[in-house]
Amino acid sequence: MTDHIKLDLSDRILTITIARPERKNALTQAMYGKMADAIVDANTNKAVRAIVITGEGDMFTAGNDLSDFASIEERETGTPPVTRFLNAIRDAYKPIIAAVNGPAIGVGLTMLLHCDISFAAQSANFRAPFTQLGLVPEAGSSLLLPRIVGRSMANEVLLAGRILTADEALACGLVSRVQRDEELLGAAMATAQKIAASAPTAILKSKALINSRTAEIADQMRAEGEIFAAQLQSPEFAEAAAAFAQKRAPVFED
């Protein structure tokens, strides 16, 4: 599964590409682990001055691979790779730019809350269907999304599953730019090159100042994570996973 994450370091820019287009770039624990390791390694690698995250094909990511997560209880103990990844992007020293090349679902949306700059292709849209899957918001999104897009919009996205278009994401501040699909990666790389050419210590200290409230975010992520893990073992998630596999609407009981 780690082959589904491509890493390229060129001109002081580390590009992380989610490369599983045959499964809509759905993320497994192995994929999360490779991305987490790459970001943590970049913290102390002087050859890296900026990071770009994008997807291969016409999808940024469909979010978690449900079949992979349904068997999470069978894994070894320790910090799950998804948690390591979310902690890594939250605490990354180097600036992270997201180039959202298509639909961004679940963590595809919530990871953007920790990226320093996010650009979207015109074909992109954004959805966080946690409650429809018997789950709860993660990655600090219950705290960060209302701050960024406003409480009412955040509740539409997190509770009602509203899908935001690229232009709506731009209007509410989730992304800072919308590009034509064929121009997206070039625009993201050009911005990464500007960062890479800037004074590196000034960049690191500026990012640290901008992101100085990480303790509050970390507390919220821990609270979300406990409930999320419990919901993974719940009848609601079991029904959602079964319904997904059977290509039917889930039926949730009180």
Side-chain angles (χ1 to χ4, degrees):
M1 285 295 185
T2 55
D3 292 339
H4 293 135
I5 297 297
K6 296 180 180 179
L7 304 177
D8 177 73
L9 177 57
S10 180
D11 297 328
R12 297 179 293 191
I13 300 166
L14 173 64
T15 303
I16 301 174
T17 304
I18 305 169
R20 198 187 180 200
E22 71 281 3
R23 292 295 301 274
K24 300 183 179 180
N25 289 339
L27 293 162
T28 64
Q29 291 289 333
M31 294 164 70
Y32 278 122
K34 186 167 182 178
M35 291 192 293
D37 291 343
I39 294 169
V40 170
D41 290 347
N43 287 337
T44 54
N45 185 348
K46 291 185 177 181
V48 179
R49 291 195 179 180
I51 299 169
V52 173
I53 300 178
T54 193
E56 187 174 282
D58 58 5
M59 191 100 179
F60 184 57
T61 175
N64 296 332
D65 183 313
L66 291 185
S67 60
D68 184 71
F69 273 71
S71 61
I72 196 171
E73 71 274 9
E74 300 173 3
R75 307 289 171 75
E76 63 275 8
T77 58
T79 304
V82 60
T83 303
R84 291 200 297 111
F85 169 71
L86 294 176
N87 290 345
I89 58 171
R90 181 195 67 209
D91 300 333
Y93 299 171
K94 310 293 173 71
I96 300 177
I97 301 169
V100 185
N101 57 299
I105 301 173
V107 72
L109 185 161
T110 59
M111 76 167 73
L112 305 182
L113 307 176
H114 301 280
C115 294
D116 301 287
I117 301 170
S118 296
F119 294 165
Q122 288 178 331
S123 63
N125 57 59
F126 303 84
R127 182 184 175 205
F130 298 116
T131 57
Q132 291 79 45
L133 295 172
L135 299 172
V136 298
E138 37 82 294
S141 56
S142 59
L143 174 69
L144 295 173
L145 193 63
R147 286 182 178 174
I148 293 170
V149 307
R151 184 171 179 271
S152 183
M153 178 67 82
N155 282 335
E156 272 206 80
V157 172
L158 295 175
L159 301 183
R162 174 172 173 171
I163 301 173
L164 298 176
T165 66
D167 287 337
E168 288 172 333
L170 177 64
C172 68
L174 183 62
V175 303
S176 61
R177 195 185 302 186
V178 174
Q179 298 282 155
R180 283 198 256 182
D181 286 28
E182 63 273 17
E183 297 174 353
L184 174 72
L185 189 57
M189 296 302 290
T191 299
Q193 287 164 359
K194 290 179 181 178
I195 291 171
S198 298
T201 301
I203 287 287
L204 296 180
K205 290 184 180 296
S206 295
K207 171 167 175 162
L209 287 168
I210 294 166
N211 297 336
S212 60
R213 298 175 68 181
T214 55
E216 180 184 13
I217 299 168
D219 287 343
Q220 190 75 0
M221 289 174 68
R222 279 190 290 270
E224 290 173 345
E226 290 177 3
I227 300 172
F228 194 99
Q231 283 298 116
L232 281 174
Q233 309 302 321
S234 71
E236 290 183 338
F237 178 71
E239 166 60 13
F244 179 82
Q246 297 164 16
K247 298 182 179 180
R248 60 172 175 81
V251 178
F252 297 116
E253 303 291 342
D254 292 331

